[in-house]
Amino acid sequence: MDLNFTPEELAFRDEVRAFLKAGVPDDLRAKIKGGKRLVKDDYFRWHKALSEQGWLGSNWPTEFGGPGWTPVQKHIFEEECYAYGAPRTLPFGVNMVAPVIMKFGSQAQKDYYLPRILDLTDWWCQGYSEPGSGSDLASLRTSAVREGDHYIVNGQKTWTTLGQYADKIFCLVRTNPNAAKPQEGISFLLIDMETPGVTVRPIILLEGEHEVNEVWFDNVKVPVENLVGEENKGWTYAKYLLTHERTGIANVGSSKAALLHLKAIARDQVKNGRPLIEDPLFRNRIAKVEIDLMAHEMTNLRVLAEVQSGGAPGLESSILKIRGTEIRQEITDLARRAIGPYAIPFQSEALEEGFNGEPVGPDYAAPIAKQYFNMRKLSIYGGSNEIQKNIIAKAGLGL
């Protein structure tokens, strides 16, 4: 197994770098580098640039309008995006529901939904978690009762990321409450957010941001043709989607960019008259997380090499999810520690573009607390790390 990039892959990396230099607006890059707050228009401009380049569906095959990249090319693309300071590509449409529609959806669903994801007609959000049914997803209670050519949906979803921007939501719903196992009575529905009875309520997170929401369904009529695959087989599709989500959460490129930023902060901050990065204890913690990140990247490349040879990520997606989230949390924790008391004050207004107020501490201090608190969720969503360890123990170790 050769983990070095081939000449063709290095040429592709140059192509990506040229695109980023031309395609990412300067003001948007400045917002990313400065840790500023992003709004829908920011994501839209970035997604539009990708769409016009034909790169939005970076993991899509050419038959559906994707670039047909190899897993390694996709890895290179994501790493270069984070290194340059491009926004993240929102995963809910292109990376989550689209692969499910491609594999399990009807031809009519493929023809209708996939082009609308690529041309930005539809923005999607995810309707999985419910109050009391987060990590134990199979216990979900949102019901869908068949009445003629519609399902009547009632219930509540929570932690719905960027649901306030979404046109559509893909939902797991219970269609057979009497199934022998909880997993056997679940179906996968595509729901228009404009349907009467759908209500979105904001949840303000610990760092003060409106990133997630509650979504309520009150006698919402959903056409039967919006059912993906077979009724009561939604758990199979849900697991397929989660494999894609967990592998994405491992995001090596994001951690590498964050580590570089951490080192810059540690070089700027001073302890006992010397740069913080020269403090033995702090330097050791940076070294440890960098070694962990290098090992994580090698594991990720090994998985990508296997996928490129025709394999599929299995338990490895759980391993990547666990280690990837732990590393990202450690980096944000070190950044918070590096700026000491400047991490305490939280100026929400300082995260707005064009903020002209008096900053608290150095200019890079304002988003540190926000990023630290926001990253705490990483070990919970996409299947908590504890659930992933159970999967590894049962399926991998036979315990």
Side-chain angles (χ1 to χ4, degrees), residues 51-268:
S51 179
E52 291 174 349
Q53 181 74 5
W55 288 0
L56 180 58
S58 60
N59 59 336
W60 292 25
T62 53
E63 65 179 294
F64 295 115
W69 287 345
T70 66
V72 173
Q73 284 178 306
K74 186 171 182 295
H75 168 78
I76 291 172
F77 171 72
E78 292 175 349
E79 185 166 291
E80 291 301 320
C81 285
Y82 281 110
Y84 186 77
R88 66 175 178 136
T89 302
L90 297 181
F92 311 107
V94 290
N95 294 335
M96 295 173 74
V97 72
V100 173
I101 293 174
M102 290 176 197
K103 188 171 180 66
F104 303 106
S106 66
Q107 189 59 49
Q109 289 169 343
K110 295 173 187 174
D111 293 342
Y112 180 76
Y113 289 110
L114 297 179
R116 293 168 66 91
I117 292 173
L118 280 188
D119 69 11
L120 309 179
T121 300
D122 293 334
W123 287 62
W124 287 82
C125 62
Q126 181 184 31
Y128 270 28
S129 295
E130 298 181 6
S133 301
S135 296
D136 183 17
L137 189 58
S139 67
L140 63 89
R141 291 176 294 179
T142 293
S143 65
V145 178
R146 177 80 178 263
E147 290 188 3
D149 57 358
H150 286 79
Y151 288 100
I152 304 300
V153 178
N154 283 283
Q156 178 193 359
K157 297 295 179 180
T158 193
W159 310 124
T160 309
T161 302
L162 301 181
Q164 72 271 33
Y165 297 154
D167 307 294
K168 312 281 185 186
I169 182 170
F170 54 91
C171 280
L172 293 180
V173 294
R174 186 161 300 286
T175 42
N176 182 4
N178 301 314
K181 296 180 180 178
Q183 295 88 344
E184 294 176 353
I186 293 173
S187 297
F188 195 105
L189 282 185
L190 311 176
I191 302 176
D192 191 322
M193 294 290 280
E194 294 298 321
T195 310
V198 176
T199 303
V200 179
R201 298 175 182 169
I203 298 174
I204 305 303
L205 293 176
L206 192 61
E207 79 273 23
E209 295 297 303
H210 176 197
E211 184 182 16
V212 296
N213 304 270
E214 295 175 322
V215 180
W216 294 79
F217 302 91
D218 182 12
N219 291 318
V220 175
K221 290 182 67 175
V222 180
V224 169
E225 56 262 32
N226 287 19
L227 172 73
V228 175
E230 298 180 50
E231 189 175 88
N232 299 322
K233 299 294 184 182
W235 189 250
T236 298
Y237 317 144
K239 290 191 296 183
Y240 179 77
L241 183 151
L242 284 171
T243 300
H244 285 263
E245 183 183 13
R246 287 167 189 158
T247 306
I249 295 171
N251 208 313
V252 173
S254 174
S255 292
K256 290 176 75 172
L259 180 62
L260 284 176
H261 185 53
L262 169 64
K263 289 181 177 179
I265 293 174
R267 281 192 289 270
D268 187 61

Side-chain angles (χ1 to χ4, degrees), residues 261-287:
H261 185 53
L262 169 64
K263 289 181 177 179
I265 293 174
R267 281 192 289 270
D268 187 61
Q269 291 293 302
V270 175
K271 180 180 179 182
N272 298 328
R274 304 287 299 171
L276 178 61
I277 202 167
E278 296 180 10
D279 175 76
L281 294 178
F282 199 83
R283 184 175 59 202
N284 284 348
R285 289 193 64 170
I286 290 180

